[in-house]
Amino acid sequence: MIICGFQYGNKVWTNPTFSVSQIPCPNSDTIVMSNCVSVVLGQNGWSVTYTTQSICTLKGSSVDLFCSYTYPRGTVSTTLWFTKMEAGKEPKDLGQDPEYAGRLEYHGDKKKDCTLKITDLRERDSATYKFRLLTDQEGGKYSGSPGVTLSVTGLQVKVTGGHQDKTLTCSTTCTLTDNPTYIWYKNGQHRDESTSPQYKYSVSNDYVDSYSCAVKGHEDLHSPAVCECSFNTLYCVLVSL
């Protein structure tokens, strides 16, 4: 059952107790939902559900791609996640890819759960991940679209402002999921916490300070330090190392 409004083609359904099975589905189609999970309806009982369709997270962290599926009949023989698919070829199982060696944990089963955990994330892991299952029935193959788009980012401190008043921004290449809390460090010491990625401060004469940022819950993944100095540039560089 669907417990939120959704759109099918040009028609919008809002009945919170409307059954998915009541929607005509002659071919595989995607239901676009508002504030809900992404569900793909397949012909004759095939479906894949991705709880989150887009994720932005930190390099070095871990992520769970929550997923469930249904199939019409038979026994599931193979389950796999992939990022690339060529026409006429079976997609490459990420579990066999050396790039992911030791970093994948399949928490699913061969009944309905297809959740995948990826650890020690790298920026090159950014991709759209899709789940595929094969059964022992003739033609029993199905890939779930649209998948989960994963973006992996590091943290960088950017400095703007004049000589006295400065603004530091904890910058990322995508908007981090789950409204994170940013932590600021001055000379390695905890300075401030805020849901804003910006930190403002005033400087004094003859200062040598280094600043870095992190996200709460991932304090070990802090940004490289940025040094702010009013004198002795070489000493400033040494302080920031």
Side-chain angles (χ1 to χ4, degrees):
M1 304 291 285
I2 297 300
I3 56 173
C4 58
F6 56 87
Q7 177 180 335
Y8 180 82
N10 295 322
K11 187 172 181 62
V12 177
W13 304 87
T14 56
N15 186 340
T17 60
F18 198 91
S19 172
V20 169
S21 63
Q22 293 175 262
I23 304 172
C25 190
N27 299 302
S28 177
D29 263 302
T30 299
I31 296 176
V32 180
M33 300 187 178
S34 175
N35 298 319
C36 195
V37 296
S38 171
V39 178
V40 174
L41 285 186
Q43 199 173 23
N44 299 325
W46 296 96
S47 71
V48 175
T49 303
Y50 301 102
T51 303
T52 305
Q53 197 169 328
S54 181
I55 299 173
C56 171
T57 193
L58 292 175
K59 178 176 63 175
S61 67
S62 300
V63 67
D64 289 301
L65 308 183
F66 293 104
C67 168
S68 61
Y69 65 95
T70 63
Y71 57 98
R73 65 185 67 84
T75 301
V76 174
S77 57
T78 304
T79 59
L80 62 98
W81 282 82
F82 66 96
T83 58
K84 298 177 182 179
M85 190 171 189
E86 298 180 31
K89 295 182 179 181
E90 276 295 311
K92 184 176 182 180
D93 183 355
L94 292 181
Q96 306 301 317
D97 189 337
E99 282 286 322
Y100 293 88
R103 299 194 296 122
L104 296 184
E105 299 174 12
Y106 183 64
H107 292 174
D109 51 38
K110 291 188 176 180
K111 294 182 179 180
K112 64 178 181 179
D113 191 358
C114 47
T115 297
L116 178 72
K117 185 183 187 72
I118 310 175
T119 63
D120 188 22
L121 286 167
R122 301 154 189 183
E123 290 181 271
R124 62 178 177 270
D125 293 336
S126 297
T128 296
Y129 292 75
K130 296 181 181 181
F131 175 74
R132 182 170 176 81
L133 66 150
L134 288 73
T135 71
D136 58 359
Q137 301 294 300
E138 183 179 356
K141 300 178 181 181
Y142 189 76
S143 296
S145 292
V148 182
T149 299
L150 174 65
S151 300
V152 182
T153 180
L155 299 174
Q156 294 289 333
V157 176
K158 294 184 178 180
V159 184
T160 56
H163 180 67
Q164 292 294 322
D165 296 316
K166 302 277 189 179
T167 298
L168 302 178
T169 301
C170 196
S171 177
T172 54
T173 57
C174 56
T175 302
L176 291 171
T177 307
D178 297 331
N179 300 315
T181 296
Y182 296 89
I183 303 174
W184 286 97
Y185 299 91
K186 178 180 179 180
N187 299 327
Q189 300 298 312
H190 183 284
R191 184 73 175 184
D192 188 50
E193 292 186 15
S194 174
T195 55
S196 170
Q198 294 187 329
Y199 173 64
K200 299 180 184 294
Y201 70 101
S202 296
V203 300
S204 58
N205 294 328
D206 300 334
Y207 65 95
V208 182
D209 296 317
S210 66
Y211 294 87
S212 62
C213 66
V215 169
K216 196 166 186 176
H218 301 283
E219 289 83 353
D220 57 327
L221 304 176
H222 59 77
S223 70
V226 169
C227 195
E228 287 293 300
C229 307
S230 63
F231 67 96
N232 199 336
T233 303
L234 177 59
Y235 179 63
C236 179
V237 172
L238 292 174
V239 169
S240 66
L241 295 178

